[in-house]
Amino acid sequence: MKIETIAIHAGNYIDPSSKAVIQPIVMATTFERDEDGGFSSGYQYSRSANPNRAALEQVVAQLENGVEAAAFSSGNAAGMSVFQSLEPGTHIIAPDDMYHGLRNQLKTLFAGILEFDFIDVNDTDILKSHIKQNTGIIWIETPSNPLLKITDIKKVVNVAREHNIKVVCDNTFATPICQQPLTLGADLVMHSSTKYFGGHSDLMGGVLVTAEKSDWWEKIRNVQTMGGAVPSPMDCYYLTRSIKTLPYRVKGHVHNAQLLARFLQNHPRVEEVMYPGLASHPQYEIAETQMSYPGAMISFTLKGGEQEAKKVVNALKIFIQATSLGGVESLIEHRASVEGPDTKTPLNLLRVSVGLEHIDDLTADLEQAMA
Ligand SMILES: *Cc1c(COP(=O)(O)O)cnc(C)c1O
């Protein structure tokens, strides 16, 4: 099946008692035993498994071309479950341009438990020189946040395989509509489903998808069900509902982003536009090869520095000044302010999550704000 069809049908079932075409929301925390004490329905207690979570996990696993998925209460909970599944002392190689929430998690919660290096994972020499005896995973994020750097997934996978190291890819910015890391050889995919999967800025969630069942995956499942950072049946329902339109939403976001990136590139007040769909992007060719679409996140720097950038943000009327991404409404933020004092993000950089408004209204809004 094609991805548009998977998004609508995978995981959904017709309710046998009512014949409702959309599966019901099962709020129950506990499930009745059979006379012999068994659980023929497959459900026992909702922390371990729930029908709405199972439906969500099934559709996401198929969208990412994986064998199984595990849903969590946030993207950070999904990421943390990967770190918690590793033996203490394991060394992690992670990108220098990494989602700050997960970088901070490693540096604060896992200091002294795991070892980590934040490097340019796309430079093979640098990558190889950081591999140690105890390196367990290479974490990648592509396109990256907020510089929209592209990592060549196949290249990293080839290095990792030589050393028996697993590759985990944060695919939040791309979504499986734009890029399928498991198909390119990654072992695990991570998502903040708070973003494009949810798509309406109204729920938190995270998902992991595995390329194969393994002892490692069993450990991750244990962290999920014993740790209990699981999404509610309601949130799972909303997510499966949103995912049905994910392919068309993403195509709409990308359409707007391509036009907006070109508009920004031609604007005299703009210094540089970071968008993998522009031929001027330093890794445009890698993006062309490994992505079906270049995504809908754009960062750009303004001539004149931090004050100019903040002025533009405050003059916008349609773009909302807020963090996060992937919702139907366009968001813009001064990224360095969000990331705090240790940020390496340029102070004149604005990050845009391009929404689904009409592109003419978006460009007109930026035009008046930069006038
Ligand atoms: C938002 C985000 C996360 C964290 O997800 P939460 O749902 O906010 O916990 C991780 N990675 C990326 C790339 C993100 O954008």
Side-chain angles (χ1 to χ4, degrees), residues 171-200:
N171 206 30
T172 301
F173 270 34
T175 82
I177 313 307
C178 298
Q179 168 179 286
Q180 293 177 308
L182 300 184
T183 310
L184 298 166
D187 299 283
L188 206 67
V189 158
M190 190 221 110
H191 277 282
S192 166
S193 42
T194 312
K195 314 295 167 54
Y196 289 101
F197 280 25
H200 298 76

Side-chain angles (χ1 to χ4, degrees), residues 74-76 99 102 141 170 172-173 190 192 194-195 204-205 325:
S74 71
N76 268 22
Y99 173 68
L102 286 171
E141 183 186 326
D170 184 340
T172 301
F173 270 34
M190 190 221 110
S192 166
T194 312
K195 314 295 167 54
M204 303 284 306
L325 60 130

Side-chain angles (χ1 to χ4, degrees), residues 267-279:
H267 200 284
R269 296 275 305 276
V270 173
E271 187 181 73
E272 190 191 346
V273 182
M274 289 151 245
Y275 180 61
L278 289 175

Side-chain angles (χ1 to χ4, degrees), residues 328-344:
V328 292
E329 62 285 305
S330 293
L331 302 179
I332 191 160
E333 67 177 347
H334 181 250
R335 192 66 197 165
S337 304
V338 179
E339 297 185 348
D342 70 336
T343 181
K344 285 190 215 136

Side-chain angles (χ1 to χ4, degrees), residues 75-92:
N76 268 22
M80 184 158 83
S81 301
V82 175
F83 304 143
Q84 288 177 321
S85 72
L86 303 172
E87 292 296 325
T90 300
H91 175 238
I92 299 175

Side-chain angles (χ1 to χ4, degrees), residues 16-265:
S17 60
S18 69
K19 303 290 178 191
V21 299
I22 299 299
Q23 64 161 127
I25 303 169
V26 179
M27 295 300 284
T29 53
T30 188
F31 299 83
E32 188 183 32
R33 282 180 189 257
D34 305 328
E35 284 183 7
D36 65 1
F39 292 97
S40 55
S41 72
Y43 298 105
Q44 180 174 352
Y45 186 61
S46 271
R47 174 158 41 71
S48 309
N50 166 281
N52 294 99
R53 200 162 90 223
L56 170 63
E57 290 175 346
Q58 205 173 323
V59 65
V60 176
Q62 286 193 40
L63 286 174
E64 281 291 3
N65 204 15
V67 300
E68 225 173 89
F72 296 85
S73 52
S74 71
N76 268 22
M80 184 158 83
S81 301
V82 175
F83 304 143
Q84 288 177 321
S85 72
L86 303 172
E87 292 296 325
T90 300
H91 175 238
I92 299 175
I93 294 176
D96 47 8
D97 189 38
M98 177 186 192
Y99 173 68
H100 72 118
L102 286 171
R103 185 181 59 216
N104 290 343
Q105 193 183 83
L106 278 174
K107 284 164 113 174
T108 54
L109 301 183
F110 291 93
I113 300 171
L114 297 170
E115 291 176 29
F116 29 81
D117 278 309
F118 301 99
I119 61 160
D120 180 357
V121 289
N122 208 37
D123 183 319
T124 307
D125 292 334
I126 293 179
L127 178 62
K128 282 184 174 167
S129 73
H130 281 85
I131 291 175
K132 303 200 283 191
Q133 209 65 47
N134 58 338
T135 304
I137 63 173
I138 300 173
W139 187 278
I140 57 176
E141 183 186 326
T142 178
S144 72
N145 178 25
L147 299 180
L148 282 308
K149 287 206 252 174
I150 300 294
T151 298
D152 188 329
I153 300 176
K154 272 191 181 160
K155 204 169 85 176
V156 172
V157 164
N158 287 339
V159 174
R161 289 221 172 122
E162 278 171 34
H163 297 86
N164 227 352
I165 297 168
K166 302 290 185 196
V167 175
V168 185
C169 183
D170 184 340
N171 206 30
T172 301
F173 270 34
T175 82
I177 313 307
C178 298
Q179 168 179 286
Q180 293 177 308
L182 300 184
T183 310
L184 298 166
D187 299 283
L188 206 67
V189 158
M190 190 221 110
H191 277 282
S192 166
S193 42
T194 312
K195 314 295 167 54
Y196 289 101
F197 280 25
H200 298 76
S201 309
D202 57 2
L203 64 85
M204 303 284 306
V207 203
L208 298 173
V209 190
T210 185
E212 57 171 22
K213 292 208 192 171
S214 61
D215 291 347
W216 183 38
W217 179 249
E218 277 313 306
K219 273 195 182 170
I220 289 173
R221 274 284 190 208
N222 282 342
V223 175
Q224 179 201 28
T225 58
M226 293 180 190
V230 291
S232 72
M234 244 5 231
D235 283 347
C236 294
Y237 171 76
Y238 282 130
L239 269 171
T240 49
R241 187 184 199 278
S242 290
I243 284 171
K244 290 178 200 291
T245 57
L246 178 73
Y248 287 96
R249 277 189 290 111
V250 169
K251 285 183 229 181
H253 285 287
V254 169
H255 170 80
N256 276 355
Q258 284 174 319
L259 294 171
L260 199 74
R262 257 174 261 155
F263 163 83
L264 288 168
Q265 200 173 36

